Amino acid sequence: MTVEFEHDEARRRYLGRIDGEVVCALDYADDGEVVSMTRTFTNPPFRGRGHAGEITEHAVQQAEAAGRRVRPMCWYVAQWFDEHPDRAHLLA
């Protein structure tokens, strides 16, 4: 099943949906230079399938495309960067 991502700028949140159902979310703050990723969440029935990693990768790609750096404020995002040292240049 493919996760479709949605950006809710007003709420500063990325959502991942499968067949319209929210399976994961990532909250952030953006000061125009740095995106502080503050929280990731996967709905319990969908845990263990890699969705948190998918939404984190999507949010990091969006930050990079916007010319922003990333500050991991959530343990999961920090762990994701530890597992992806090729993206360390984006860290603030």
Side-chain angles (χ1 to χ4, degrees):
M1 296 185 171
T2 302
V3 177
E4 294 181 10
F5 297 106
E6 171 186 326
H7 186 193
D8 183 344
E9 281 189 71
R11 294 178 69 195
R12 297 184 179 216
R13 172 177 283 176
Y14 288 97
L15 297 170
R17 296 179 186 271
I18 295 176
D19 295 330
E21 185 175 0
V22 174
V23 297
C24 54
L26 185 146
D27 296 331
Y28 68 91
D30 185 347
D31 70 5
E33 293 180 24
V34 175
V35 176
S36 296
M37 297 186 181
T38 58
R39 176 180 174 263
T40 57
F41 178 78
T42 302
N43 282 328
F46 297 97
R47 290 183 179 163
R49 301 181 193 178
H51 298 313
E54 290 178 279
I55 200 163
T56 300
E57 182 171 353
H58 178 77
V60 168
Q61 288 173 345
Q62 296 301 305
E64 183 176 30
R68 308 277 202 284
R69 301 202 47 183
V70 176
R71 179 174 295 122
M73 303 293 291
C74 158
W75 71 267
Y76 186 88
V77 176
Q79 178 180 305
W80 186 91
F81 272 98
D82 288 345
E83 294 171 358
H84 296 84
D86 58 309
R87 306 310 292 272
H89 65 281
L90 295 172
L91 291 170

